[in-house]
Amino acid sequence: MSNERVAIVTGGSSGIGREAAARLGREGYAVVIGYAGNQANADEAVKEVEQAGGRAIAVQADVADETAVAAMFDRAEQAYGGVDVVVNAAGIMPLSPLAELDLDVFDRVVRTNLRGTIVVDQQAVRRLRSGGALINVSSSLTKLARPGYSAYSATKGGVEAITLILARELRGRDVTVNTVAPGPTATPLFFEGKSQELIDRITTEPPLERLGEPADIAEIIAFLAGPARWINGQVIYANGGSAA
């Protein structure tokens, strides 16, 4: 199986990450499911990849812990021989108006979403093979500017900045670096802590008048992971027309 491509997907046990892992499985990838703590969900995600036609293992790693992330990449190389694609979908989204924001919570958001991106991307650029792709996950909230999301949006704005710079730092290597910025997507992360009234209002915002589905985003990730070799250093806003 020398032509088999290998992907690491952080946040791979739920939501967009899990759907992306299964979608890559359909393309015949070997997938390493990176997960923070829920082993049962991670094991289910492994089964989904296998049912889709790929191979998979689950590896627990806090994305902000450089030792754990390096060990996850080591495990991918030991199991499958190398790494071709990294999808960095791990993230947390506590909501609060800025004036009431608990700074300990803010530090936790920065640690996971921003430091975690730096740590994962650092290993990715050291390890990705020629023809590889690094795909970060941001959010259309950087454009939508919705009240209550200042901490989350600040970290995601940082993710977008990192992506553009990293693409340029990889000049001379056949490795692309892009970010997907989903709009409201029907995942546990989205529904958590929201009233039905708010969910209904957000659902009607896009011209397509629905929430995104994880499969909508996974399709873009699969495109960037494989055939989209001439897309590089870009942020792709995937939100059904909610924001530019």
Side-chain angles (χ1 to χ4, degrees):
M1 300 190 73
S2 59
N3 292 329
E4 180 182 50
R5 280 169 73 81
V6 180
I8 293 175
V9 181
T10 72
S13 64
S14 67
I16 288 168
R18 180 165 172 168
E19 191 71 29
R23 180 66 183 80
L24 293 173
R26 272 173 44 202
E27 300 290 332
Y29 279 71
V31 182
V32 174
I33 304 286
Y35 70 100
N38 192 322
Q39 186 174 347
N41 279 358
D43 290 343
E44 285 296 316
V46 166
K47 288 178 189 171
E48 285 186 20
V49 174
E50 291 171 344
Q51 288 164 358
R55 297 195 289 164
I57 56 173
V59 178
Q60 184 173 10
D62 171 359
V63 290
D65 179 340
E66 63 271 31
T67 304
V69 170
M72 178 173 61
F73 276 77
D74 289 343
R75 184 81 176 88
E77 290 173 348
Q78 290 157 6
Y80 300 127
V83 182
D84 302 289
V85 172
V86 173
V87 179
N88 191 29
I92 60 173
M93 191 172 66
L95 304 182
S96 169
L98 188 142
E100 298 158 23
L101 179 61
D102 182 324
L103 293 178
D104 288 337
V105 172
F106 174 66
D107 287 344
R108 194 159 57 87
V109 177
V110 170
R111 186 177 187 278
T112 298
N113 295 2
L114 194 53
R115 178 188 166 97
T117 296
I118 290 278
V119 170
V120 171
D121 286 8
Q122 193 169 62
Q123 288 297 319
V125 299
R126 292 172 182 173
R127 313 251 200 154
L128 281 168
R129 295 187 285 205
S130 184
L134 170 56
I135 303 152
N136 290 319
V137 177
S138 174
S139 170
S140 288
L141 285 159
T142 58
K143 300 284 189 186
L144 291 167
R146 201 184 300 283
Y149 288 85
S150 57
Y152 180 76
S153 297
T155 62
K156 292 305 189 178
V159 169
E160 295 180 10
I162 290 164
T163 298
L164 301 176
I165 292 167
L166 197 49
R168 286 152 181 76
E169 290 180 349
L170 290 179
R171 174 177 293 277
R173 285 182 58 186
D174 183 18
V175 173
T176 60
V177 187
N178 293 289
T179 283
V180 180
T185 305
T187 66
L189 189 67
F190 170 76
F191 289 118
E192 185 180 341
K194 289 188 178 68
S195 68
Q196 188 60 49
E197 180 190 13
L198 179 58
I199 292 167
D200 291 343
R201 192 165 81 242
I202 292 172
T203 299
T204 62
E205 284 178 356
L208 299 175
E209 294 191 332
R210 67 173 176 87
L211 293 175
E213 293 294 334
D216 294 322
I217 311 306
E219 199 64 38
I220 299 164
I221 290 171
F223 179 57
L224 293 171
R229 300 307 302 164
W230 199 232
I231 299 176
N232 192 25
Q234 302 301 312
V235 179
I236 298 176
Y237 297 96
N239 53 46
S242 297

